């Protein structure tokens, strides 16, 4: 049944975590007194965060798979409805990543905030007609700082790439970018492994199903 | 509480050439003892501020003045006794340091009396350093007025973050210059995002196929099937191989195979 295959998925994911070699242990990097991790690369390479992300992603994918069956689970259902289906998985993956970031970074808060805003808009659109998108002010740079315009342009591009970091000052932008890069790397690793697991699981189910159903 | 710049200059041992968080001396008593206190709960621990410090910080009560050597200070939440602020306190520059305790600030003292072009020396403070301040030494030949110090701290913060990014992005060590490094970073982020996009489409495809596969779930004699059909499936006994991915996928294939057998 479907439950067995999902058990297989969960078990497969767990085993994958235990087989992998990832950083564990206490805080690396430079922080001493508070035990807080200052280095984004070490923070996003821990096994724990990888597991958290993988399990959240698995749940999100399962929700997307079940479609809009449960209106109570408005998160996945609304995301699948308001946007084309093609982006549902991607949005779910990004949201899971933002949740794993524990909300200390600008980009994670921006991802969750934009999703929340879209949910609100969808709810409001369903209930009543007017849906007002939040107005956006145009940004006007006052003057040229110590950065040359070339650097300023690249900084803007970078601000557009990292979600929610358009108007950050440059050093904060760099910090956000480093954390975002580390998080993206973890996301790619986790999704690769998950895709491998699921593809082999589905390949074995379909092939075994086909093989045993044909002679029957 | 009197400033004794000459005495401090004598006692100063200029073997730190770090441009960041450094030393400040505060002659406490009228005697020519220069002591530094940054007393606080996290005195010793926070002394590093993350970088290698040449001198360990010393937790000392404001009245301790035994040693006559210069002790380094660090912000770290351990403020010294902030009671005595001498009226001739020099203007303190506070610059932000981006280390563990987010509130560390660097300060440079400039003595109005002395020339600020003193090589590798910053002048002493009459009072013990305040909480959350790190004292910075001005480099030789560099101006130590407020604006340039602030700018220098800001530039150093930026360059620190760029170094972090360079370590993170592969292939970024070869380029030199902020613009190229930023280009590489932008390319890398874009490529990572594309990878995520591609993987999400792949996961979606797997999802839909899994939906189809689940429907035709057989009830018997598929224990052997997954072992033969799943690609790249090996059953090596050594699961803790060097390659993490390989070992983990073996594990999970065994798990999925076992779970299938359990159904029958």
């Amino acid at each position: 049944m479907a439950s067995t295959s999902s058990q297989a998925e969960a078990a497969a994911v767990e085993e994958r975590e235990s087989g992998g070699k990832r950083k564990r242990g206490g805080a690396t990097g430079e922080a001493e007194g508070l035990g807080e991790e200052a280095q984004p690369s070490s923070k996003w390479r821990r096994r724990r965060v990888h597991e958290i992300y993988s399990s959240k992603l698995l749940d999100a994918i399962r929700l997307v798979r079940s479609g809009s069956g449960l209106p109570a689970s408005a998160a996945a259902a609304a995301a699948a409805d308001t946007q084309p289906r093609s982006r549902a998985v991607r949005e779910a993956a990004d949201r899971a990543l933002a949740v794993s970031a524990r909300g200390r970074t600008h980009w994670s808060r921006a991802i969750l905030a934009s999703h929340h805003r879209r949910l609100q808009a969808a709810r409001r659109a369903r209930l009543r007609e007017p849906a007002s998108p939040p107005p956006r002010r145009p940004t006007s740079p006052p003057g040229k700082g110590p950065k040359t315009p070339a650097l300023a342009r690249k900084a803007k591009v970078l601000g557009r790439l990292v979600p929610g970091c358009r108007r950050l000052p440059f050093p904060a932008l760099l910090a956000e970018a480093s954390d975002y890069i580390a998080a993206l790397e973890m996301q790619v690793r986790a999704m690769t492994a998950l895709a491998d697991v699921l593809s082999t699981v589905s390949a074995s189910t379909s092939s075994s199903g086909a093989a045993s159903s044909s002679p029957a | 509480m009197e400033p004794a710049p000459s005495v401090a200059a004598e006692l100063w041992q200029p073997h730190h050439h770090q441009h960041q968080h450094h030393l400040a001396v505060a002659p406490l008593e009228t005697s020519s003892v220069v002591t530094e206190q940054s007393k606080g709960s996290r005195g010793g621990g926070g002394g590093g501020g993350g970088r290698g410090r040449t001198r360990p910080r010393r937790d000392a009560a404001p009245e301790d003045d035994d040693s006559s050597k210069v002790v380094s200070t660090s912000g770290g939440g351990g403020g010294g006794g902030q009671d005595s602020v001498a009226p001739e306190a020099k203007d303190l520059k506070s610059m932000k340091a981006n280390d563990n305790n987010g509130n560390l600030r660097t300060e440079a003292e400039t003595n109005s009396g002395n020339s600020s072009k003193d090589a590798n020396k910053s002048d002493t403070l009459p009072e013990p350093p305040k909480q959350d301040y790190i004292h910075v030494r001005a480099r030789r030949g560099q101006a130590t007025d407020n604006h340039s110090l602030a700018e220098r701290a800001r530039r150093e913060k930026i360059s620190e973050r760029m170094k972090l990014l360079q370590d993170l992005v592969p292939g970024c060590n070869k380029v030199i210059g902020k613009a190229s490094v930023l280009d590489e970073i932008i390319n890398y982020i874009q490529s990572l995002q594309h990878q995520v996009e591609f993987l999400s489409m792949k996961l979606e495809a797997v999802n839909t196929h899994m939906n189809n596969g689940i429907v035709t779930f057989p009830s018997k004699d598929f224990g052997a099937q997954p072992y033969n059909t799943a690609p790249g499936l090996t059953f090596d006994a050594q699961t803790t191989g060097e390659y993490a991915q390989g070992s983990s996928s073996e594990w999970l294939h065994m798990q999925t195979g076992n779970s299938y057998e359990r159904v029958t």
Side-chain angles (χ1 to χ4, degrees), chain A residues 203-204 207-209 211-212, chain B residues 218 220-230 233 260:
Chain A
S204 41
S207 62
S208 55
S212 44
Chain B
K220 71 182 184 81
D221 191 34
F222 54 91
Q225 296 297 343
Y227 302 161
N228 301 334
T229 57
L233 192 55
Y260 282 131

Side-chain angles (χ1 to χ4, degrees), chain A residues 26-50:
Chain A
T28 59
E30 312 149 347
E32 293 143 357
L34 299 176
E36 180 187 329
E37 305 143 20
Q39 298 290 70
S41 54
S42 67
K43 169 179 153 193
W44 283 101
R45 278 184 192 265
R46 303 279 158 86
R47 167 194 298 185
R48 182 85 195 113
V49 67
H50 198 121

Side-chain angles (χ1 to χ4, degrees), chain A residues 50-76:
Chain A
H50 198 121
E51 287 175 355
I52 291 176
Y53 178 69
S54 304
S55 53
K56 284 201 191 303
L57 189 54
L58 210 55
D59 288 341
I61 289 182
R62 228 174 269 149
L63 280 176
V64 168
R65 198 197 303 163
S66 62
S68 51
L70 296 136
S73 70

Side-chain angles (χ1 to χ4, degrees), chain A residues 61 65 90 171 185 205 212, chain B residues 161 188 197 207 211 218 260:
Chain A
I61 289 182
R65 198 197 303 163
R90 166 91 201 264
E185 284 178 354
T205 44
S212 44
Chain B
R161 305 232 167 116
Y188 190 57
E197 186 89 35
N207 260 355
N211 279 340
Y260 282 131

Side-chain angles (χ1 to χ4, degrees), chain B residues 65-80:
Chain B
D65 54 351
D66 301 314
S67 81
S68 65
K69 61 178 180 44
V70 167
V71 186
S72 79
T73 173
S74 104

